Every structure is written in structure tokens, then in C-alpha cells.
């Protein structure tokens, strides 16, 4: 089995189960390693209803350290950090002090619009889809240039409800962003949560993953579990997608250092 590098905890206020429940499911499914990447707290109130409080970071850390140790699977301490307008100063000073194994970079808002939030989905009806994707990619590029993250989660998240530009426009918009990700030595996550969403597709798509492969961008796997039974979900499909696009390796990480590992042939 493959490691699952994207798992939430109930500290984010929209996930269930104890961290030990996630670990138990991983063990039963033969997953060798998991990384908790809960939504990072914000210092300025950004998206506060969907993330832990600053005062809970210590409990987050100890909760995870408590279930590390000799029993399989290995457990890593990570975080899913959002890039948004005005986050830079805080991220630059806070993130490097945290001693995380893994930092995932995400964009969930475009100018205050939670474009992937079901309750704000209707806004898609009044925007230009291509321009919205461009605005999203501009934020991802700024995220990458900060050089504070190890990988991008759900790279083509704006497709969640099915809104997307033409393949040609998507390619032209994605190429410079992927160049920038490669230049900054970042990875991409194959996030299987898209299969549980209206789009019913892994993030990122075959088209984008092929462009990433051409640029030598390393990949890893994440379920984005918000419930224990979602750990490692659909990794067989993610492995298939990785192989189809040409990948032979994925990365494992520890203390922010990536190590390439051969992909298994099947799960
Ligand atoms: Zn979440
Ligand atoms: Fe996310
Ligand atoms: Fe997540
Ligand atoms: Zn996520």
C-alpha cells in the first residue's frame, strides 16, 4: 500500500474520529505511513470556522506525538496551510518554527469567495470560469514562490463542481504554474477526495498530471480524510493514474526532506 499524506482531525471542526481511529484504519488497510495535515490555524480570523484555534496547536502536536511510536503505521506530523491575500508575513515567521514533517499548500478562497464550499457554489453561476481559474492559479503561483511548502494539495480544486475551462485554456494556464512548482522543488499530491465530490475525479486530472510529469515534479498520495473510514480511499485508482501518466516513483517525506520511492505495481 501507499502512504496517505493528507488526513484531518476533529480540531478543524468539520472532521470526525480520534487520531487513533485514523491510525487503526490505516493499519487494517496495510498503509505503511500516514501524515496528519489538519487545517492550519489563522492569526487574523481567516476561515476560522474550518480550522483549529491558535491555542490548539499544542494539543494537535501532542495528540499526534502520542500515537507515534513503534506500531505500524508510521505517523507524521504535518499541516495543510492556506495561501490567501495577506497571509505571507505570518506564514513566513510561524511555519519554520513548527518542526512539521510535511507542509501542504492549499488555496480555498479567491478574494474571500470559498469557491469549493457547497454553500458558495451558486457564485460560480455569475463568474467567468476561465478568469476564475486564472485567478486561482495566480494564487498557487504566489504560494509556490514563497518556498514554504513541500507540495500543493488538490491542484485543480476549482473543478470540484464541474466548472472548467477548455483543455487548451487549462493547459496554457497550468503550464507556467507547474514550471514555477518545479522551479521551487515542490511536489504535487494525488488527492482522491475529488472522487467523492460532484466532479468525481482525482485532483489533479490526467491532463495536468502529464504536464507535471514532463517537468519532473514528484508526487505523493492523499485521501483528504475527514473521517477514519476515508483513509487510503481509492488509492488503487490514484496509482493507476500515476502509472498512466508515466510516473515510476513517488515521494516520502520526513522533516521536510523528500525521498523518491518506486511505485508498487498494484495495491
Ligand atoms: Zn477540511
Ligand atoms: Fe484543502
Ligand atoms: Fe484537506
Ligand atoms: Zn483539503
Amino acid at each position: 500500500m501507499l502512504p496517505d499524506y493528507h488526513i484531518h482531525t476533529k480540531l478543524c471542526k468539520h472532521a470526525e474520529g480520534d487520531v487513533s481511529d485514523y491510525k487503526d484504519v490505516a493499519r487494517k488497510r496495510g498503509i505503511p505511513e500516514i501524515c496528519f495535515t489538519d487545517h492550519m490555524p489563522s492569526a487574523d480570523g481567516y476561515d476560522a470556522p474550518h480550522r483549529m484555534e491558535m491555542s490548539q496547536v499544542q494539543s494537535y502536536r501532542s495528540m499526534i506525538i502520542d500515537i507515534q511510536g513503534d506500531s505500524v503505521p508510521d505517523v507524521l506530523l504535518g499541516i495543510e496551510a492556506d495561501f490567501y491575500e495577506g497571509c505571507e508575513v505570518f506564514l513566513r515567521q510561524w511555519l519554520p518554527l513548527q518542526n512539521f514533517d510535511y507542509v501542504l499548500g492549499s488555496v480555498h478562497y479567491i478574494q474571500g469567495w470559498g469557491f469549493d464550499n457547497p454553500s458558495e457554489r451558486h457564485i460560480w453561476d455569475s463568474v467567468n470560469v476561465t478568469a476564475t481559474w486564472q485567478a486561482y492559479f495566480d494564487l498557487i503561483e504566489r504560494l509556490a514562490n514563497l518556498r514554504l511548502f513541500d507540495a500543493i494539495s488538490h491542484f485543480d480544486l476549482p473543478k470540484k463542481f464541474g466548472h472548467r475551462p477548455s483543455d487548451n485554456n487549462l493547459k496554457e494556464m497550468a503550464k507556467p504554474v507547474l514550471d514555477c512548482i518545479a522551479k521551487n522543488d515542490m511536489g504535487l499530491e494525488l488527492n482522491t477526495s475529488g472522487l467523492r465530490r460532484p466532479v468525481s475525479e482525482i485532483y489533479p486530472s490526467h491532463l495536468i498530471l502529464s504536464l507535471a510529469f514532463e517537468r519532473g515534479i514528484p508526487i505523493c498520495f492523499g485521501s483528504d480524510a475527514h473521517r477514519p473510514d476515508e483513509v487510503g480511499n481509492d488509492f488503487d485508482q490514484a496509482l493507476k493514474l500515476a502509472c498512466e501518466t508515466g510516473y515510476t516513483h513517488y515521494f516520502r517525506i520526513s522533516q521536510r526532506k523528500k525521498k523518491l520511492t518506486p511505485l508498487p505495481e498494484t495495491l
Side-chain angles (χ1 to χ4, degrees), residues 100-169:
F100 290 126
D101 286 302
Y102 181 47
V103 179
L104 256 182
S106 293
V107 170
H108 294 108
Y109 284 83
I110 299 168
Q111 291 178 343
W113 169 34
F115 63 87
D116 79 321
N117 185 335
S119 67
E120 297 183 50
R121 175 181 176 163
H122 61 277
I123 295 174
W124 276 103
D125 300 334
S126 58
V127 298
N128 177 302
V129 169
T130 305
T132 300
W133 277 73
Q134 186 59 62
Y136 170 81
F137 281 142
D138 289 346
L139 291 167
I140 294 282
E141 197 163 329
R142 287 171 60 189
L143 180 167
N145 282 327
L146 269 184
R147 295 187 68 88
L148 290 170
F149 309 84
D150 302 305
I152 308 272
S153 43
H154 40 63
F155 179 82
D156 55 0
L157 183 60
K159 75 180 175 185
K160 180 172 180 175
F161 304 117
H163 306 87
R164 37 181 149 201
S166 68
D167 279 0
N168 240 352
N169 283 343

Side-chain angles (χ1 to χ4, degrees), residues 6-8 37 39 80 104 106 108 153-154 191 224-226:
H6 193 149
I7 297 177
H8 289 276
T37 53
H39 300 285
E80 178 175 2
L104 256 182
S106 293
H108 294 108
S153 43
H154 40 63
N191 182 311
D224 216 337
H226 285 72

